[in-house]
Amino acid sequence: MVINEQEKKFQLSRRNFLKAGVAASAMGVIGAIKAPAKVANAAGASLKYTAAAKGQWSKLHPEHDYGSATVHFAENNDQWLGTTKIVGKVKNFSEADMGFNLATRGLLPNKKTQAASLSFFFRHPFGAAIANAGMFIAPPAAVEGKSSPKKLEIPDPEQMSQHIKDAAYFLRADEVGIGKMPEYAYYSQKLTDKAGLMTKPVEECVIPVTERLPYVIVVMVDQNLQTMLGSTGYDGISGAMSMKSYHATGNIAVILATYIRSLGYNARANHAFNYNAVMPPAVISAGLGELSRTGDCSIHPRLGFRHKVAAVTTDLPLAPDKPIDFGLQDFCRVCKKCAENCPNQSITYDSDLVEYNGYLRWNSDMKKCAEFRILNEDGVSCGRCMKVCPWNSKEDSWFHQAGTWIGSKNEASAKLLKTIDDMFGYGTESIDKYRWWLEWPEMYKYPAVAQAPQTH
Ligand code: SF4
Ligand code: SF4
């Protein structure tokens, strides 16, 4: 493989960075064992914290469950967000410029997407029922509000972090992480009138996002292993799997934000039915994943893509976790299984990352992905890349555990795992015994005219 200069620099600096990161986190763990650091108020203490070992401060879930992947801690600074290299100014995005909203504005190449963009998730009655339930936590009154005038003293941000994680696990989160909130994760503008994008100038459908809070609590919920094993990844249950985890994480985020405001601190829930920010940078900052070949989607070392997240941005004094490195960048470089299986060829086969909005990532085409998800007539939306990815595509067996342990080592072992994965047909099969849902093929056709979702 020919390595260009940029790639060489990236690999070298990444290696040095990893050495420093591993050493720093090892020292952090030793320090924490000897004398856990107590920071009076992390919110005002310009990053002066001692990183706790992952999950050290949760009682209900004492260790983050990374499966058997080998995980190192990485950094969150102006050059790196975990294993993502920052190479310039990362600009804040307007929510109106995200894939589905570009469709509603009539700006995707395939114009059929405009008519279908508001209603496609509602084509399956079960997915529609979950999405309808999500509408109850969508209004501003559910996600934000004034904090209590009585501010409770938080003498120990690490203990508070443990408490918040335990509260989230109690509310049935599968994973929880706390990160420094990357400023560029905030939307520049958020949508207030999604349906209005069809007919009005975009300026009349958005408001500026002015919030800047220092921390982000990220909650993650599994989309369900058995259902994923039964699904093709783009059949009738595909959209409902997303909705199920959006709804579950959204509920947890709304409760946590309300609770934190009652303690006297600012807190805002961000979930699929009302975001102020994009989630992948928050996920990486909170130590719950790395960016993958699919572009801006992150992978968790145990759940792969098979999850959704919601988040709470807050100034509650907390001790953030560190981003993680489980070898995904090397793995994605050789694997390409998602690209081979994407029904719309939206995922790149490139071996090199490209610069995009001030950071390096794979050059996958998220507009093409949005088009397929909106117009898919074999089901609702799509998660085929989620299904086939070797990080989440198998039953929870010792063989899979051994595979991910091998896969997180280096490029050569990644090749080995991908080969074994393909040999056994993992990820591409639909296991009949798990297909519990009903299919409604006649409902999957896109509407010829614009159609609003069937809500209350
Ligand atoms: S969601 Fe489907 S269309 Fe989009 S990148 Fe993944 S496999 Fe391709
Ligand atoms: S399928 Fe392979 S290349 Fe695609 S995201 Fe998963 S590990 Fe990376």
Side-chain angles (χ1 to χ4, degrees), residues 95-108 113-118 120-121 191 194 197-198 242-243 246 272 308 366-375 380-382:
E95 192 177 12
D97 292 335
M98 306 307 280
F100 293 149
N101 299 325
L102 289 176
T104 310
R105 294 167 65 191
L107 297 179
L108 290 187
T113 55
Q114 186 173 29
S117 65
L118 292 177
F120 73 98
F121 252 109
L191 274 180
K194 187 170 164 52
L197 291 174
M198 286 252 182
S242 296
M243 282 299 153
Y246 280 139
K308 290 287 184 272
M366 292 302 97
K367 288 183 183 171
K368 275 183 91 173
C369 167
E371 285 186 342
F372 181 80
R373 284 194 284 167
I374 293 169
L375 297 177
V380 177
S381 193
C382 180

Side-chain angles (χ1 to χ4, degrees), residues 189-209:
Q189 297 170 315
K190 73 172 270 79
L191 274 180
T192 49
D193 184 2
K194 187 170 164 52
L197 291 174
M198 286 252 182
T199 51
K200 297 183 198 167
V202 65
E203 306 76 48
E204 292 177 22
C205 305
V206 295
I207 53 169
V209 174

Side-chain angles (χ1 to χ4, degrees), residues 17 20-29 47 49-55 64 66 71-77 81-83 165 176-180 282-289 319-325:
F17 150 76
V22 172
S25 48
M27 285 171 69
V29 172
L47 314 184
Y49 65 89
T50 298
K54 293 287 167 183
H64 274 270
Y66 294 128
V71 174
H72 303 290
F73 295 152
E75 294 300 324
N76 176 357
N77 54 37
L81 178 62
T83 55
K165 286 178 181 174
V176 190
I178 295 172
K180 290 185 277 172
V283 171
I284 297 170
S285 174
L288 294 179
D321 295 310
K322 286 196 149 207
I324 54 171
D325 175 354

Side-chain angles (χ1 to χ4, degrees), residues 4 17 36 45 86 115 124 140 220 247 258 285 317 324 343 381 406 428 449-450:
N4 63 32
F17 150 76
I86 311 287
H124 191 284
M220 182 175 275
H247 181 253
T258 306
S285 174
I324 54 171
S381 193
I406 293 167
T428 48
V449 292

